[in-house]
DNA sequence: GGAGTTGTTCCGCC
DNA sequence: AGGCGGAACAACTC
């Protein structure tokens, strides 16, 4: 499940390897992945320069010199992997040849291939075909339905403690559902929602409207810390996620609760519980995160 | 081999 | 109006 830290890690890996390069060819292996008229590829993509790479929420943006932008959403199992010709590898530490994950590409999950003017290839892989690629005029990225509805970035000025309090206090749904709501804050998914609430010592099933100002502030700070930490450690890998170089992220081994059912809480040694909140698999510590009154574990 | 997995959209209901 | 909860989507793992 690529969330904000995973997509940010991909963007950072991609940037020095593709910015300034021209797209020479595009191979469409799965039509439904390409959610735009692929007849436009020749005119709008081929021979165009990738002027910059950017992330907004969980969407990766590649701005082109044609004043169009490629938008990528990885949904649950998407990958964007860049394979540079050996002679031209960016000195940012590509995996050594013997263990280079890109030697097996393309594979059965590859849905599209972009080849650049120096021979670099960008593979879009997606086992479950939920991910998509769109092509829109750069000036219209902001009016894309998803982008238009998404909330502030966690590290932007717009995301203040006051803003977060205003948003949460009128919501009666579980706080976990509020964190997963992309219109409140951009980029949190199942991993970092659980991690945030454990750090903030708030039970995921607490109704948002019952949180005190102090608890809301703790969650606000935890969001920033957990997402920053996720980026620092290159994201979380347990099934599909790899970065732009095809290698895994390191966050899982430092996870507080995520995928740690039955293991001990690193704060209090209680056993981590897995349950279901907001329709999602949810991990928490029953001691650090006190259950709300009347809440039954399912 | 049926259930579980999840990011986003859609839909019915309040 | 808009929040809420659940279904739908897809394909693999267990």
């Amino acid at each position: 499940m690529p969330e904000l830290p995973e997509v940010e890690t991909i963007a950072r890996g991609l940037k020095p390897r593709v910015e300034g390069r021209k797209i020479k060819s595009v191979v469409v292996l799965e039509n439904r992945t390409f959610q735009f008229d692929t007849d436009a590829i020749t005119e709008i993509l081929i021979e165009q320069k990738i002027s910059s790479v950017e992330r907004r929420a969980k969407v990766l943006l590649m701005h082109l010199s044609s004043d169009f932008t490629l938008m990528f959403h990885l949904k649950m199992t998407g990958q964007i992997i860049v394979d540079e010709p050996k002679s031209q590898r960016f000195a940012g530490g590509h995996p050594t040849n013997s263990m280079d994950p890109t030697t097996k590409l393309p594979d059965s999950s590859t849905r599209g291939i972009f080849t650049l003017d120096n021979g670099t290839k960008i593979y879009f892989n997606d086992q479950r075909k939920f991910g998509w690629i769109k092509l829109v005029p750069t000036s219209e990225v902001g009016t894309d339905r998803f982008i238009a509805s998404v909330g502030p970035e966690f590290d932007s000025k717009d995301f203040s403690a006051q803003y977060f309090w205003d948003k949460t206090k009128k919501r009666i749904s579980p706080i976990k559902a509020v964190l997963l709501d992309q219109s409140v804050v951009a980029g949190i998914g199942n991993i970092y929602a659980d991690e945030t609430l454990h750090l903030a010592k708030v039970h995921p099933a607490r109704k948002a409207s019952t949180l005190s100002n102090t608890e809301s502030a703790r969650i606000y700070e935890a969001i920033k810390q957990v997402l920053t930490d996720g980026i620092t450690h290159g994201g979380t890998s347990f099934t599909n996620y790899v970065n732009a170089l095809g290698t895994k992220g390191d966050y899982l081994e430092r996870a507080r609760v995520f995928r740690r059912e039955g293991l001990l809480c690193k704060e209090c040694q209680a056993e981590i519980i897995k349950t279901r909140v907001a329709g999602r698999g949810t991990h928490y510590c029953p001691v650090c995160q006190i259950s709300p009154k009347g809440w039954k574990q399912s």
Side-chain angles (χ1 to χ4, degrees):
Chain A
M1 301 161 292
E3 303 177 22
L4 184 151
E6 288 73 33
V7 181
E8 178 65 25
T9 301
I10 291 170
R12 291 182 185 187
L14 225 41
K15 242 176 186 302
R17 297 173 170 88
V18 309
E19 279 183 357
R21 295 286 171 199
K22 271 185 188 170
I23 297 173
K24 293 302 274 192
S25 72
V26 180
V27 179
V28 177
L29 294 168
E30 173 57 59
N31 280 312
R32 91 182 78 180
T33 300
F34 287 76
Q35 298 191 0
F36 60 91
D37 180 4
T38 48
D39 291 344
I41 284 178
T42 310
E43 209 177 320
I44 303 175
L45 280 183
I46 305 299
E47 293 302 323
Q48 298 305 316
K49 192 185 278 186
I50 299 172
S51 40
S52 62
V53 174
E54 185 189 8
R55 177 196 59 73
R56 173 77 175 105
K58 300 172 191 170
V59 179
L60 187 108
L61 305 172
M62 268 186 212
H63 302 301
L64 307 175
S65 53
S66 52
D67 290 328
F68 275 73
T69 294
L70 275 169
M71 304 174 65
F72 301 79
H73 200 304
L74 304 175
K75 291 292 180 87
M76 272 98 78
T77 57
Q79 304 174 324
I80 298 174
I81 302 178
V82 59
D83 186 18
E84 298 178 286
K86 285 175 199 139
S87 59
Q88 308 198 30
R89 286 188 173 171
F90 175 75
H94 204 284
T96 60
N97 249 355
S98 57
M99 51 184 285
D100 184 350
T102 59
T103 54
K104 297 192 202 79
L105 295 174
D107 65 23
S108 61
S109 72
T110 303
R111 309 301 175 201
I113 308 172
F114 300 78
T115 303
L116 309 184
D117 55 3
N118 65 341
T120 291
K121 288 180 188 294
I122 302 169
Y123 296 92
F124 185 88
N125 293 346
D126 186 18
Q127 193 177 93
R128 285 165 73 176
K129 302 182 187 175
F130 273 16
W132 47 251
I133 304 173
K134 295 182 193 176
L135 181 63
V136 302
T138 302
S139 60
E140 291 173 21
V141 168
T143 59
D144 170 84
R145 262 180 47 143
F146 177 71
I147 298 288
S149 67
V150 86
E153 292 288 324
F154 76 97
D155 55 354
S156 76
K157 227 175 71 182
D158 292 341
F159 187 58
S160 64
Q162 181 65 44
Y163 162 88
F164 186 66
W165 170 240
D166 288 342
K167 283 279 181 185
T168 55
K169 69 183 176 194
K170 45 179 118 115
R171 299 284 296 262
I172 72 165
S173 52
I175 182 60
K176 171 150 179 178
V178 176
L179 294 183
L180 294 173
D181 181 344
Q182 300 300 297
S183 73
V184 173
V185 56
I188 299 177
N190 210 32
I191 302 169
Y192 299 99
D194 285 359
E195 294 292 286
T196 294
L197 292 170
H198 181 266
L199 178 57
K201 297 190 190 295
V202 173
H203 192 284
R206 283 280 302 280
K207 290 186 186 307
S209 55
T210 70
L211 296 171
S212 68
N213 198 322
T214 309
E215 288 171 321
S216 170
R218 281 213 306 272
I219 298 169
Y220 168 80
E221 292 298 337
I223 288 169
K224 297 189 172 223
Q225 186 175 324
V226 161
L227 291 178
T228 302
D229 225 28
I231 293 169
T232 302
H233 292 89
T236 304
S237 297
F238 55 94
T239 49
N240 286 270
Y241 171 71
V242 291
N243 65 24
L245 305 184
T247 51
K248 293 170 184 272
D250 292 333
Y251 184 85
L252 189 60
E253 56 201 62
R254 355 180 45 258
R256 311 175 65 87
V257 288
F258 187 74
R259 302 264 298 193
R260 298 193 71 244
E261 179 184 16
L263 300 178
L264 302 187
C265 172
K266 295 169 179 178
E267 304 288 337
C268 76
Q269 320 307 316
E271 223 173 86
I272 302 299
I273 289 175
K274 183 172 183 190
T275 182
R276 205 157 184 86
V277 175
R280 298 289 176 231
T282 297
H283 314 74
Y284 72 99
C285 168
V287 174
C288 293
Q289 299 164 274
I290 310 291
S291 300
K293 250 185 228 160
W295 182 75
K296 288 192 287 281
Q297 190 199 323
S298 52

